[in-house]
Amino acid sequence: MADAAPRLKGILEQLIGTPLPVRVRAWDGSEAGPPDTPTLVVRNRRALRHLLWKPGELGLARAWVAGDLAVEGDLYTALDRLSGLIWERDEETRTLTRSLRDPGFRSAVRGLLALAGSPLPPAPPPEEARRPRRGLHTRHSDRRAISHHYDVGNDFYELVLGPSMVYSCAYWPAPPPRGTLEQAQHDKLELVARKLALEPGRRLLDVGCGWGSMAVHAARDHGVDVVGVTLSQEQAAYARKRVADEGLTDRIEIRVQDYRDVTDGPYDAISSIGMAEHVGSRRYLEYATALHRLLKPGGRLLNHQIARRPQRDETTYRVDDFIDAYVFPDGELAPLGSTVTLLERAGFEVRDVESIREHYALTLRGWVANLESGWSRAVALTGPGRARVWQLYMAASALAFERNRIGVNQVLVVRTPESGACALPLRSRTWN
């Protein structure tokens, strides 16, 4: 008799202490759970072993990346319903480490062990970054982390990001279908250029320049000279070709270089778009101080950065297991207030802070749509595991932005000269 799904549903509800909000289909074809909801497809027993050996988010992520776990139906709805059981519960419940003195918990664990079969732990998927967390944010560890994330093939990123090749939050004039991803990314680059007051004769440093989109926009549309730095060899090669194709080799230099090694300042302006998340809290003041040193007096820095919500006890913050293992090794998010404080400590004057949280949710949904519409090619380019990593990461992130679990902000700061004159307009914003 096929009964794995009803058994699994009962066990999971014992463990989490609440009804399962999605339907379950097991490897034997049995189903259980509420109808008219997305279905969590447990394709084999190995998915359960992933969960037993790494309870909580990382075990579920391993099962997903390995293809042992899938969702049938709307992925966003499934993740939204499961988020309260996985990401938003307290640490004890989320990692399923309730006291073994609880008879119900012990019974559920025994049931899960019986369903899982072999007691041996399954190997993590090869897409998982395996490295010690010692020596975070050294030059070597940063190069390794950047390579893990970005050096997976420019063709794959073209499929996901679209022709703009901008891997950061777009700036939408209106939600789709009135607004398009390409137009929104152009508008974001133009917004950064306006905030930095880019004009001919000025010099821009683009830190973490990616595939060269900001550098090309600044040089082509605003006549500035640009130096772009990245730690990714694949990004640099792609960016240099774009620069050559645009006929801008006399205006743009793309370097494979650590920001700590940039010494040819001063610059009139610096853009840091989606770069600071890689820097880490331990190095952030050093990062901000280095950029302050590279700016002319009166020069502007535009820091475009994802932020998390502050915690009552900041010492309990830990990096998200799935993102740390599969997406951004060593990446860290900081509260907006902490970032602003460190920028001020580095000597900057904060002149404007703009939250564009909802814009990132729209951007991520656009990237997921690109990935899913080109799924066969994505799998051919990078493998099924990597494609599943990106699908889960971007869909879950879109929900996180929509639910205000994380945000993204553009912080405009100035290296204000001693005279106090920073040449910003008295009114820099126009509110609708």
Side-chain angles (χ1 to χ4, degrees), residues 54 58 128-138 140-142 144-145 148 277-283 317-333:
K54 278 293 180 182
L58 186 55
E128 184 168 316
R130 289 183 282 278
R131 71 280 180 272
R133 288 191 60 81
R134 296 172 302 189
L136 284 181
H137 302 297
T138 63
H140 175 71
S141 68
D142 282 351
R144 183 176 55 202
H148 175 89
E277 296 88 343
H278 294 290
V279 173
S281 57
R282 299 180 192 178
R283 298 284 188 181
Y317 168 69
R318 65 183 183 84
V319 178
D320 179 278
D321 288 336
F322 166 59
I323 291 179
D324 188 46
Y326 287 97
V327 186
F328 288 109
D330 303 345
E332 296 178 55
L333 300 182

Side-chain angles (χ1 to χ4, degrees), residues 209-221:
C209 66
W211 293 273
S213 300
M214 182 66 208
V216 168
H217 181 87
R220 182 190 60 210
D221 295 0

Side-chain angles (χ1 to χ4, degrees), residues 132-393:
R133 288 191 60 81
R134 296 172 302 189
L136 284 181
H137 302 297
T138 63
R139 284 170 169 77
H140 175 71
S141 68
D142 282 351
R143 281 195 303 271
R144 183 176 55 202
I146 292 297
S147 179
H148 175 89
H149 186 74
Y150 293 107
D151 292 341
V152 297
N154 291 328
D155 290 344
F156 175 76
Y157 278 102
E158 280 187 331
L159 186 153
V160 174
L161 303 180
S164 71
M165 286 298 278
V166 180
Y167 184 40
S168 54
C169 174
Y171 194 65
W172 294 81
R178 291 175 56 201
T180 67
L181 178 59
E182 290 308 304
Q183 183 61 49
Q185 290 292 16
H186 173 273
D187 289 354
K188 188 274 297 299
L189 298 177
E190 182 60 23
L191 178 67
V192 172
R194 292 202 311 269
K195 288 182 176 182
L196 291 175
L198 299 183
E199 58 185 38
R202 295 192 173 179
R203 192 164 177 245
L204 170 70
L205 173 65
D206 187 25
V207 186
C209 66
W211 293 273
S213 300
M214 182 66 208
V216 168
H217 181 87
R220 182 190 60 210
D221 295 0
H222 295 271
V224 299
D225 295 322
V226 187
V227 171
V229 297
T230 176
L231 293 179
S232 167
Q233 295 283 352
E234 289 198 21
Q235 283 186 334
Y238 187 99
R240 287 166 181 156
K241 184 179 185 306
R242 287 181 78 181
V243 169
D245 290 346
E246 291 278 352
L248 294 170
T249 53
D250 60 330
R251 309 300 297 271
I252 302 173
E253 179 186 1
I254 302 294
R255 305 173 184 167
V256 178
Q257 186 177 38
D258 192 290
Y259 73 89
R260 286 163 284 205
D261 297 327
V262 178
T263 58
D264 60 341
Y267 290 86
D268 298 285
I270 299 176
S271 51
S272 174
I273 306 172
M275 166 67 186
E277 296 88 343
H278 294 290
V279 173
S281 57
R282 299 180 192 178
R283 298 284 188 181
Y284 200 87
L285 182 58
E286 175 186 351
Y287 178 69
T289 301
L291 300 190
H292 184 272
R293 183 180 64 251
L294 287 166
L295 270 177
K296 292 179 179 178
R300 303 181 190 182
L301 161 68
L302 191 285
N303 186 73
H304 177 118
Q305 182 176 346
I306 298 172
R308 62 177 171 85
R309 304 293 298 171
Q311 298 183 355
R312 291 184 180 180
D313 180 4
E314 281 292 318
T315 63
T316 64
Y317 168 69
R318 65 183 183 84
V319 178
D320 179 278
D321 288 336
F322 166 59
I323 291 179
D324 188 46
Y326 287 97
V327 186
F328 288 109
D330 303 345
E332 296 178 55
L333 300 182
L336 172 61
S338 300
T339 297
V340 167
T341 296
L342 290 171
L343 288 167
E344 289 184 324
R345 285 182 58 191
F348 286 110
E349 179 187 6
V350 177
R351 295 302 304 243
D352 186 75
V353 178
E354 182 176 4
S355 171
I356 52 175
R357 173 175 62 83
E358 294 88 348
H359 293 256
Y360 219 155
L362 292 171
T363 305
L364 285 155
R365 284 181 177 262
W367 291 341
V368 171
N370 286 346
L371 175 62
E372 292 180 345
S373 66
W375 185 260
S376 296
R377 184 162 184 265
V379 169
L381 287 170
T382 194
R386 183 72 64 186
R388 283 192 287 265
V389 166
W390 280 85
Q391 183 187 35
L392 178 60
Y393 157 62

